[in-house]
Amino acid sequence: MTEKRFMAGNEAIAEAAIQAGCRFYFGYPITPQNEICEYMSMRLPEVGGTFLQAESEVAAIYMTFGAAGTGARVMTSSSSPGISLMQEGISYIAAAELPCVIVNMMRGGPGLGGIHPSQADYFQATKGGGHGDYHLLVLAPHTAQEAVNLTMLAFDLADKYRNPVMVLGDGNMGQMMEPVEFPPPAKTEFSKKEWNLDGARNRPRHLIKTLYLDPPVLEKRNLAIAHKLGEAVKNEVRFESFMVDDADVVIGAYGTVARIAKTAIKLLRENGVKAGLLRPISLYPFPYQQFAKVAESGKKILVVEMSLGQMFQDVQLAVCGKTKVNFYSRVGGVVPGYDEIVREVEKTAKESG
Amino acid sequence: MTEKRFMAGNEAIAEAAIQAGCRFYFGYPITPQNEICEYMSMRLPEVGGTFLQAESEVAAIYMTFGAAGTGARVMTSSSSPGISLMQEGISYIAAAELPCVIVNMMRGGPGLGGIHPSQADYFQATKGGGHGDYHLLVLAPHTAQEAVNLTMLAFDLADKYRNPVMVLGDGNMGQMMEPVEFPPPAKTEFSKKEWNLDGARNRPRHLIKTLYLDPPVLEKRNLAIAHKLGEAVKNEVRFESFMVDDADVVIGAYGTVARIAKTAIKLLRENGVKAGLLRPISLYPFPYQQFAKVAESGKKILVVEMSLGQMFQDVQLAVCGKTKVNFYSRVGGVVPGYDEIVREVEKTAKESG
Amino acid sequence: MEKGKVKGIYEDVIMAGFGGQGLMFIGKLLAYSAMKEGKHVTWIPSYGPEMRGGTANCTVVVSDEEIGSPLIPRPRAVIVMNNPSIEAFEPKLQSDGLLLANSSFVTRSATRKDVQATFIPANEIASRVGNEKAANMVMLGAYVACTNIVSKESINKGLEELFGAKREFLEANMLAFEEGMKFVQEKCLKTK
Amino acid sequence: MEKGKVKGIYEDVIMAGFGGQGLMFIGKLLAYSAMKEGKHVTWIPSYGPEMRGGTANCTVVVSDEEIGSPLIPRPRAVIVMNNPSIEAFEPKLQSDGLLLANSSFVTRSATRKDVQATFIPANEIASRVGNEKAANMVMLGAYVACTNIVSKESINKGLEELFGAKREFLEANMLAFEEGMKFVQEKCLKTK
Amino acid sequence: MEVVYERPKSLFPVATHYCPGCGHGIIHRLVAEVIDELEIREKTVAVAPVGCAVLLYNYLDVDCYEAAHGRAPAIATGCKRVHPDLVVFTYQGDGDFAAIGTAEAIHVAARGEKITTVFVNNAIYGMTAGQMAPTTLIGQKSTTTPAGRKPETAGFPIRMCEIVATLPGAAYVARVSVSSPKNVVQAKKAIRKAFETQMRGLGYSLVEVLSQCPTNWHMTPFESVKWVDEKMALYYPLGEFKVPKEE
Amino acid sequence: MEVVYERPKSLFPVATHYCPGCGHGIIHRLVAEVIDELEIREKTVAVAPVGCAVLLYNYLDVDCYEAAHGRAPAIATGCKRVHPDLVVFTYQGDGDFAAIGTAEAIHVAARGEKITTVFVNNAIYGMTAGQMAPTTLIGQKSTTTPAGRKPETAGFPIRMCEIVATLPGAAYVARVSVSSPKNVVQAKKAIRKAFETQMRGLGYSLVEVLSQCPTNWHMTPFESVKWVDEKMALYYPLGEFKVPKEE
Amino acid sequence: MTGKIVINEDFCKGCALCVNACPQKLLKTAKHVSKTSYHPAEFVDAEGKCTGCGLCALICPDVAIQVFRDRKAGGEKK
Amino acid sequence: MTGKIVINEDFCKGCALCVNACPQKLLKTAKHVSKTSYHPAEFVDAEGKCTGCGLCALICPDVAIQVFRDRKAGGEKK
Ligand SMILES: Cc1ncc(C[n+]2csc(CCOP(=O)(O)OP(=O)(O)O)c2C)c(N)n1
Ligand SMILES: Cc1ncc(C[n+]2csc(CCOP(=O)(O)OP(=O)(O)O)c2C)c(N)n1
Ligand code: SF4
Ligand code: SF4
Ligand code: SF4
Ligand code: SF4
Ligand code: SF4
Ligand code: SF4
Ligand SMILES: [Mg+2]
Ligand SMILES: [Mg+2]
């Protein structure tokens, strides 16, 4: 194992990208993820890569499109309003089946909102904030180390499925410093793909497009993408089950909230309340079955989220009425304390099932 | 009643906006809704209004923001990729609580996709394709006449809730010509609001903003907006129940698909299959209770949609496992024929419940 | 919708041909005229980006009830004005459906035996009465004669309202329309 | 987390003061040094747009187990270096918690009786040993002396690694740190 | 007799979807000829716009991206930064380059990105069937300026060459037209110079081509080329606005 | 003795959130003085940017919008089209006006929209703590050009006045600075002219103000005003680029 | 006779720009309709006036014209 | 004495731009710290050299300076 480094989440994600072979980064500053930009501007030239500050998030996502089209490993990052501006581009990248990694360090919204942590872009990330039938693969780390691991995984998944992958964090995740280790450097040469653009030398020319004026042809394309995502749904569900087995109340939470929930669970168990945590790591594909199993076993569920009830809907879809699902949230940049979660779990535990 | 006019859906929506007192339109051309732009460019000068072709959809939505901030009735329109570009602005308008009407005549996606009808922007419209916790009110007409009525209603709802309202149609809806009547002209003078900007003459200045750097304050704002939307959820659910009472199979469909379903239902009933239609007119708020009631009465449900399963999720949420929900879709600009719907309903009817 | 399955007044038709042949217009005219008679109508075009030389079509439904589907997978009638259109739409016709082809452009005959096919030299007829461009009106005349879905008078009025004043132009069009009616009244059996 | 509820090694602390007082730095130093001792650590700043004159704070957690919440609603210890900070964080302290205040800036005394308050004239002490800017290190010394959560040697090494070579600068800082330790060792009881 | 002119090799032998007389066809051909002459077919990447020329890749036998409306320069930038040795160009209409894509257009030039833009100014939105473009002339009718463009409400037409030429990152900037054989020859020279500027690594190069859209101008092809000469070229003077210093 | 200078009435009597020495404070004051002098407080609408001046409305006692980053000109357009009698201005930083908002900036001028822009060029992204701006000078360090801006990778700084002046819709275009009392006087004159241009209905008016950001330039306020004079004003020459013809 | 041209009717859309461009007036719009339903351009050079100057090809938007020239008569292939 | 200034310490952030701007060198940075924790500017004009020229106020980013002038001595209020 390599030495531990003490890094902020934003820096850890940036370094992880580089370790994963990312040599191209296009982005536009926005709090609370500026450190990703800044780290990349410092580090990429050192490894022979290119950092380019785009004129806007719209330009950044299409520069990412352009670089992705060559088959290179490429990343962009932003925070909520900037990610909204990328929605058209994200839809295009998904439609063109180009691999790339997009980081959203969510902040309070809507509008300019605030700069503090939020999880209110869940729908946008998982259901598709852009137009048309597509999905991002979405990974939500809850520690800096996991941010490293998932960022590296994100590049592999992007290549595997030729689909954009989002790493979804929040202001907290980006600013917090923790020890992180980097797995041994991945290979940095990636085999030429059969579709990438680099000049039609000794081969028929390649074409990256998303327009299919004939509806039946477009329908086929849509279904092919859906099929591919279906594979991801089968293979790429990731979650953590934390003290769920004997739990009476299972907290559903991801990212920052999930790690706060872990503290709450320790405290609750000291108070004699058997609490556990089911933590989606992949938000798309969502661990529906795992939640369904929890529901079937008769445990109560409390979803805690920094939004007014977004992942909550996916949990409800999973649970399908089989158990009661309570909901607790703080929004607008307020992070729920473990004391609040303790209180809510206790309430849930006391409710008649 | 006024005389019937023979108009395309796009023109009908444009004229309805004018009848509703809309005097400002900002937009950018995109098929299949260009006729809205074009009609407005011709008609607005006639009624002393302003048509302005923006340099982009991003500019268009912020011009709309600007005009809405004065309290004027204002509209913009686009189709899928253009609406994606508006996501940041839509989030801002919702956050600033400004009333305006946004029309999306959906086309096949993702990416550039195609120009034929689609319903694949349902998630974007109803869940929030922009960042943060907000919702549009979303109305989905299924005839040109209904497009007129709902467009006029949209302006009233926008004012009532100080929230952007989306009229969600598709290429078909926009291009199809039908007879329409216009209800007697609404008033065209709107009382000054307590919040609008028109120069701080003899009053304290007004301010339209969305930034709240202090999380507890932003949280309060978020909750206030949520509360307001809660009122809309209570008051503004709209749906049509078509031959549902004695039906064995109820089709869930909206917009273009719903009217095709009506033909299918006629044919099915002639074949002795008791089919009905529950047609959401407001997609947000969604008629969850109405679907729940159908489910509870033991009827089977078939959702037919021009997407890979978007409204389908809302129906599942409503039904909550109480009955089986089947799904049939055509995508990429292909419109399901009534013959296909007949076939699918018959299949559903035969399935063991 | 399937013939026989619907009570009351109901007709649907798909009209197809080259971009400039005026099919969109006769579709609108038909729907408009029927609307003026108090009927429910829909008109829906195929649409695409501005590309020349393609084949365009539109679908008209006329009914005395509210119209469900404006799109007709299996039409009761088709009017085809070029070869690609007969290829595309003859197979879709219902059994016993009406196939009206402009034989000035359509160079093959009908392949199906279960449809009522009529070939009309619409351009020649239109030229004969003074304006080749009114071939579309010949076809509409033929269609109206076969279906009786709208009166000649309504078409006449509709033409005037949609076109405005150009008297001579109107006349040429009405003449063509009548020639189309006559042509089928002589050649084919009325279907209704 | 609540004292007594956690087994093993565990400490959390919030450090707060004006922007330029170096609180972010001592927080990082503490966490870094503890990390080097093999402990789990988190450091999290309050963050905001670049606006001068505000009060900044950070939270450090050190533990021998994986750390859940990096945010601490009711901290075990607070280091406050100005008046707004004592207002903000004294009420949040746990019962029996550690309040370390820089009396060079904090002009009021503790209001709570259930906490262990120590007032340290950190700027004076730092000036005395040669560098007023090292007042933050005095406070850190005091904290480390009270909690023993990390060794003096680790802090020393951490300082070197974070700062690099500037020898004299390091010395002034270590001196200040030691003075801070000494101050509390004389004045207050160790809590552990 | 010998063949003195035939279809360039980089152009697929297929009919285009353009309207009769449309300038796009000529411009496509010129680009293909330049690619052939410079022998760069195997190292050229084209970025197609959203506009009538969206199907550019159906005609040009090189690696191609289809961009989003206005974003071709950003995509080209992403590509060129990965492969500095490639010859990357964008082909864009006036809506694409001078309306929705204004920011990308200005900044690709400001950055001195080593790419080339062939900017087809036909003073109209062709693909969406005739709305006003940012380059529509004062008084010109379009479907969104049915009474003719009025500057009081719809503003003034925008001259992209003049703007881009102010930017230090732009190395070659020229405006040409394809309204006559003579102008076509000039146009080809400019396109060639633009590609050469890129290949010499001198910075960004832009060729604006005034191009006829007979369909949406509601003119015959011949009327439309006359209109280019008599109306458009008055407001959009032809010529070179910036040329690289010779080594 | 008589008061010869005091706080303008349109400025709320509150302390600002700006860093010591920041140019924004001076520019706010000048705008307020002009509003007072022209007696238009009750018919002025300000559109605040996203940038350090996002809280402009905490200081200026007029009707205000807070825009999204770069979109102030679009919002101002929407407002002005509804109320042509109001005096509408945008206040924007260099990231806001010359990066993300480039298209809106160019087109508000191209349209000749009767609004005014006060464009505060501090060659840096202030609010987000020091990243490169489109106007960052060659060689200037920022958090995203840690080794100084290199034109080969990060392109060249952009001169907005020069660009906007090429557009017929722009009626008044000037560049000023607030680096010395003398320059402050000039700056105020320009801002006043810009507002007057709008009130006379002549078209779009733009005043670019070179402004110090001591914090992100890592300078004392005094060093920073010297840097404006000695470095910035070389690349961004002060002066009037376009003035309306006198009636 | 120093030159001649061949028009590819599959490509020609009958825009007539070549007709206007030919200095020798050797081109006209045909009466017949091509497969693609345009009236294509027609090269009529009974007197062998075509110089192979290529102006028609230069202006042709549909790359429908191939130009031939007599080696001795014309210049280099350019 | 023809002029004087009053500095509002609540607004002053001690940037010292006024200090550099005063032609009479009448301003300096104070030793003390203001409520807002800056070292504010201080007006020291023992000899009454202030002309009320207002240059200090012109450059002050925080509108912290009020300027007075003797009516007879100075010009019009501008
Ligand atoms: C985001 C977005 N907005 C709008 C459109 C619709 N659209 C397609 S092409 C076009 C403009 C075409 O005009 P131009 O760029 O001048 O090209 P031309 O067709 O004239 O060659 C527009 C507005 C789109 N596809 N995407
Ligand atoms: C869409 C979007 N992108 C990015 C940001 C983050 N952001 C806020 S201000 C700013 C730039 C500020 O720089 P400038 O416009 O030069 O103003 P200054 O602070 O220098 O006065 C940025 C990038 C944002 N709020 N929204
Ligand atoms: S619409 Fe205009 S630009 Fe488009 S292909 Fe036709 S002539 Fe050319
Ligand atoms: S960061 Fe710069 S621009 Fe922003 S307030 Fe501070 S000095 Fe002014
Ligand atoms: S080559 Fe010259 S002379 Fe011959 S047909 Fe063409 S234009 Fe006429
Ligand atoms: S220019 Fe070309 S396309 Fe046009 S008529 Fe002549 S040969 Fe045909
Ligand atoms: S008014 Fe003039 S002389 Fe008086 S203090 Fe200010 S700058 Fe100095
Ligand atoms: S210029 Fe103003 S803020 Fe700066 S020191 Fe002088 S009085 Fe204080
Ligand atoms: Mg164009
Ligand atoms: Mg700036």
Side-chain angles (χ1 to χ4, degrees), chain G:
Chain G
M1 174 176 166
T2 54
K4 73 163 192 182
I5 66 165
V6 174
I7 297 172
N8 184 337
E9 274 205 12
D10 290 349
F11 289 170
C12 173
K13 295 190 189 120
C15 71
L17 288 177
C18 57
V19 174
N20 285 295
C22 175
Q24 311 295 331
K25 307 273 170 234
L26 304 176
L27 288 150
K28 62 186 182 77
T29 298
K31 282 262 141 41
H32 73 277
V33 167
S34 69
K35 268 192 288 181
T36 50
S37 72
Y38 294 109
H39 295 279
E42 224 169 21
F43 177 58
V44 187
D45 188 15
E47 304 166 40
K49 295 205 315 209
C50 175
T51 61
C53 68
L55 295 182
C56 52
L58 269 173
I59 199 73
C60 175
D62 288 283
V63 207
I65 302 179
Q66 208 181 5
V67 185
F68 296 83
R69 194 160 46 203
D70 212 329
R71 192 180 233 138
K72 303 130 213 167
E76 294 294 277
K77 184 175 173 181
K78 51 172 178 180

Side-chain angles (χ1 to χ4, degrees), chain A residues 28-30 57 85 112, chain B residues 88, chain F residues 24 50-52 69 93-96 100 122 124-128:
Chain A
Y28 189 79
I30 185 169
E57 290 86 354
L85 283 173
L112 193 49
Chain B
E88 188 206 29
Chain F
H24 278 302
V50 175
C52 276
H69 194 30
D94 38 19
D96 205 75
I100 195 169
N122 59 10
I124 203 84
Y125 283 13
M127 185 179 211
T128 45

Side-chain angles (χ1 to χ4, degrees), chain E residues 24 50-52 92-96 119-127 131-136 211 213 216-217:
Chain E
H24 278 302
V50 175
C52 276
Q92 304 182 256
D94 38 18
D96 205 74
F119 163 41
V120 179
N121 178 357
N122 60 8
I124 203 84
Y125 283 12
M127 184 180 213
Q131 296 82 9
M132 182 187 84
T135 54
T136 293
S211 175
C213 174
N216 288 304
W217 295 355

